[in-house]
Amino acid sequence: MVQGVIFPCMGNILGVILFLRGPWIVGKAGILQGFGVGAVCCTCTFLTTLSLSAIATNGKIQGGGAYYLISRSLGPALGAGVGLCFYMANSIGAAMYFMGCVEAWEIAAPNHQILAVGELNNIRLTGYVILAAAVLIILGGIKYVSRLGTVFLMVVLLVILCMYVGCFAGPTDLSPAEFTVQLTAVDGGDMVEKVLSWTGPSGSNFANNWAPAWDAPQGAFPSDTTEYSFVNMMGLYFPAVTGIMAGANRSADLKDPASSIPKGTLIAQISTSIIYLSFIFVFGSVASRETLLNDKFFASTSAFPAKQIVIYGVMASSIGAGLNSLVSGTRLLSAIAKDKTLPILKYFEATPGKEPRLALFASAALCAASITIGELNAIAPLLTMFFLMCYTCVNMSCTVLTGVSDPNWRPNFRYHHWAISLIAALLCVWMMFAMAPVTAMAAILFCCVILAYAAYNSHNAKWGDGFQGMKFQLAKNILMSLESKSHIKNWRPQLILISEASFDEAHKEQGSFSLKVHDSELLKLASQLKNGRGYIVLGGICSTDFGHRDTANTKDWFMDDQMQQRVIDGNQRAKNLLKDYQIDGFGKVVYTNDFGTGVESLVQATGLGAFEPNCILASWPENATGHDEQSAEKRKKMLHVIQVGVIFQKVLIVAKGAAWPEFQQRLHGTIDIWWIVGDGGILLLLPFLLKKHRVWSRCTTRLFVIADRAGVDVVLMHEELSRYIKDFRLNIEVHLKIVDDIVDRPQVELDVSTPLPGSKPPDNDPVPSEHENAEFGKAVVPDQHEADALDQPSRHDSKFSLTHELNKWRQRNAEPQKHREE
């Protein structure tokens, strides 16, 4: 725990901000607001540590560290987005440490620089050299970097000890009370010298530095012209307290990460917070505000016994922290690539047993781009955004997992509560938008883009994450709140596609079976209707004779092992079919001894509430007009589908004819609607939905209306139909066809004195025909009473005739006119 978690965390937290910007921040913010800035930042990291500890004790932790924690808690999509943000934070953080090393080197050896001291290009070039050396060290072996981390931490602790002793001891011969610094002239010309002083602990310094002085002039960093305030000072200070996930990033190297990460991280966070907050009072008590704002490295000026110890110690610690950040970023990128949620990163996956070198080069490239900025004060706020984004999601993961009552959320960490995680998440979000709202929005947008890309490519990731529980609760609440009967304006087709299915036993000898859906052409139609944004259920009815099973014998249950495997494979085949035909829906296969029972079960059991299918999509049986047993069976099945649709009040869509067009086709021409009865507008809606698909988008629609009887005013009826179509905002050409006595019951006399060969129907024909009347020398279409007795539809005047439909439309239009006249 000590070397695996505490030391890495402390080494990452205690960095250049404390040494190079700590006194300057106190000079700007004062003791009171400086302590407030530090307290807010340390509180944020402390609360996040509690959430991190809870997640770390909620199961086995593997390689990938913080990324693994987030991705397995909130899902592969969000995990990849936040993990990539954390990777960028580590790589950019390495740049900040290397630039801090360059600033310390400029003070240690001003005459041994590549370019002039203080120039951005000098910081850039020297930073590139340090980065190149760091990459070579890491290429020599990541494990050696881990060992060096302990050495660098000891150096940091020695530097801090020298700073404490020097501040409390006051000026000495090696650290005189008065000293000279070189500052850049206000006009940007030559360097000027300025005499500064410090006193050691002093009440007057404490009182003078108590209040903030945001507008006070400063010469330590003349290129920084930012107008600082409490909130944007947090952006500069916050990277100083980050690094709490350094232990989690080494989870693969820990013997017991679930125990080591919480304890070690908390010890490191609390101890470093005490150091940071105490130095705010120390710096404010030992020097004047002028000294704090003009001495670029007051932490070394006040050190005991000599400032060179602090300067070279800070250089060493900065290189060590930069190396650790590069290693963490490299491992993160390799872990993300290994999960394959972001295919674009697949090249950075490490070969088993080898170091992730490509990931290292990618981290180095991002680090080099950050060094190009050349200003530590400009990099720190950007770094803050990425860390806060990651911390927000760590805290939200705990809140969400508790809120959805995920049964797998069982952390062993006692000091965690969902309210703490929620407060921490809100604090992180507030800090982001308070410091830089535009940058915060850009960071969130970046994360959302990565999230969307990862969600599109992470369908096969089955991690049992808590985000699935949140989606389940959300779906349940929405489903419960939706009304099962939607308003006609909101009606959309929710299809259940009914098709026979069977096992393809072509490879039975090899023991492999695959589910075959007979009416696969219907899948094309269903897919091309999907832009109605209703959902689709592929219902396959597999009529399999399970035979007699003795349930007392375990070897002779309802399904044997082979049949169980067929069922599993069949369900997977249904899902694959939906994916192949670009359908967003569900696959459901019913296994039954009888097709009719399967249809009834499928229609009744599919869907819940408002998500219950309202349309049945079926295929018209081919070659079903004969009098043989096979044709009779086809008619029987079709009638059963129709009867089930009528009983359970489903719209029945029957597809008949040629094959449906392929997805790559682009059709031109017309879609013709023959409107015979008033169906509420469903026939008008279906072509409209088809034209939303790219296959049909270039087609035009024509409506052919057959009037109920002759003698109507053709012109008036055509005008009313055109207005009727216009009211529904449909671009359809209207054509009126008048046919006399179209709904009169005809009697057709047939000469059946000589029966045709094979004219006798089979005994089990479910469609009663006119053969019973053949002996009388004529076939009569039965009247309504006879049709009811025979359970057979007959031709009659429908109350849903087109005339009735138009009359209702006239009444609706007349009511507003009547109100206006009144």
Side-chain angles (χ1 to χ4, degrees), residues 515-701:
L515 189 73
K516 179 182 179 181
V517 176
H518 295 185
D519 299 322
S520 58
E521 286 293 322
L522 284 181
L523 290 167
K524 296 180 185 177
L525 172 59
S527 178
Q528 292 164 19
L529 282 171
K530 69 180 180 180
N531 283 336
R533 299 304 180 189
Y535 79 101
I536 298 171
V537 177
L538 168 59
I541 301 174
C542 187
S543 302
T544 302
D545 185 9
F546 295 103
H548 175 71
R549 299 286 179 183
D550 181 8
T551 56
N553 185 358
T554 57
K555 295 183 179 180
D556 201 28
W557 280 355
F558 171 64
M559 288 187 180
D560 55 21
D561 294 339
Q562 186 182 45
M563 190 61 199
Q564 290 179 19
Q565 188 59 44
R566 290 190 190 184
V567 170
I568 295 173
D569 295 342
N571 291 335
Q572 185 60 44
R573 173 59 179 160
K575 294 180 181 178
N576 293 338
L577 275 175
L578 291 171
K579 186 176 180 180
D580 293 341
Y581 284 88
Q582 305 172 18
I583 297 176
D584 297 327
F586 306 94
K588 192 177 186 68
V589 182
V590 175
Y591 299 90
T592 178
N593 290 328
D594 176 66
F595 178 84
T597 304
V599 172
E600 296 169 8
S601 302
L602 185 63
V603 173
Q604 291 183 79
T606 302
L608 292 172
F611 282 82
E612 183 178 333
N614 53 27
C615 296
I616 295 177
L617 177 60
S619 179
W620 185 266
E622 297 181 0
N623 304 321
T625 58
H627 298 300
D628 55 285
E629 295 286 344
Q630 187 176 8
S631 299
E633 183 66 20
K634 290 181 179 180
R635 294 196 294 271
K636 178 181 178 181
K637 292 178 179 179
M638 187 69 230
L639 285 176
H640 211 120
V641 172
I642 296 173
Q643 188 179 34
V644 168
V646 172
I647 292 175
F648 294 105
Q649 299 181 347
K650 310 292 184 185
V651 174
L652 184 62
I653 303 174
V654 180
K656 179 182 179 182
W660 288 88
E662 301 294 337
F663 297 128
Q664 65 270 18
Q665 290 183 253
R666 300 295 181 267
L667 300 182
H668 298 78
T670 60
I671 303 175
D672 291 340
I673 309 169
W674 287 88
W675 207 13
I676 300 175
V677 296
D679 55 6
I682 295 175
L683 277 177
L684 301 178
L685 180 63
L686 292 180
F688 172 76
L689 298 179
L690 276 176
K691 289 181 62 177
K692 284 178 172 288
H693 196 276
R694 59 183 179 273
V695 173
W696 303 87
S697 60
R698 301 175 183 176
C699 295
T700 59
T701 307

Side-chain angles (χ1 to χ4, degrees), residues 480-495:
M480 296 295 293
S481 64
L482 285 175
E483 297 182 4
S484 57
K485 297 291 185 180
S486 62
H487 192 275
I488 188 171
K489 291 182 179 179
N490 302 323
W491 189 92
R492 64 188 65 199
Q494 297 177 172
L495 300 174

